[in-house]
Amino acid sequence: MFEEQPQQEIDALMRSNPEFKQLYQRHRDLDKKVMDAELGVLPIDDITLAQMKREKLAAKDRLVRLYDAGHH
């Protein structure tokens, strides 16, 4: 996520915005868990997986809004 953005911009936003930092870390954590679940490494039921995907998407939407707000 934000691969096309300069890492220093992301780092600066994480330093200046605690909500962004928390969401960014949560999104990364969820991303890894979802990937592990889909690979069969993390045993998880479909309902929990669907909830994790929804939370991951919500975190991404909020991160994009925070990122955009920091650039306007």
Side-chain angles (χ1 to χ4, degrees):
M1 179 162 169
F2 293 121
E3 290 81 7
E4 65 283 355
Q5 309 306 333
Q7 188 59 46
Q8 65 263 28
E9 282 185 21
I10 302 301
D11 292 343
L13 200 48
M14 282 203 277
R15 279 193 299 276
S16 67
N17 188 327
E19 182 187 4
F20 184 89
K21 181 177 181 178
Q22 182 183 5
L23 278 168
Y24 188 84
Q25 291 170 336
R26 180 70 181 142
H27 183 274
R28 273 206 340 226
D29 183 47
L30 282 167
D31 196 41
K32 181 177 179 350
K33 284 182 178 168
V34 166
M35 227 179 288
D36 287 350
E38 288 176 342
L39 290 171
V41 178
L42 180 67
I44 200 167
D45 62 271
D46 291 343
I47 294 168
T48 305
L49 181 58
Q51 287 172 334
M52 284 177 17
K53 286 181 176 181
R54 274 197 303 277
E55 186 183 344
K56 188 179 119 178
L57 188 60
K60 181 180 180 181
D61 287 347
R62 180 74 182 134
L63 283 165
V64 169
R65 282 198 297 276
L66 288 169
Y67 183 86
D68 288 347
H71 283 82
H72 294 120

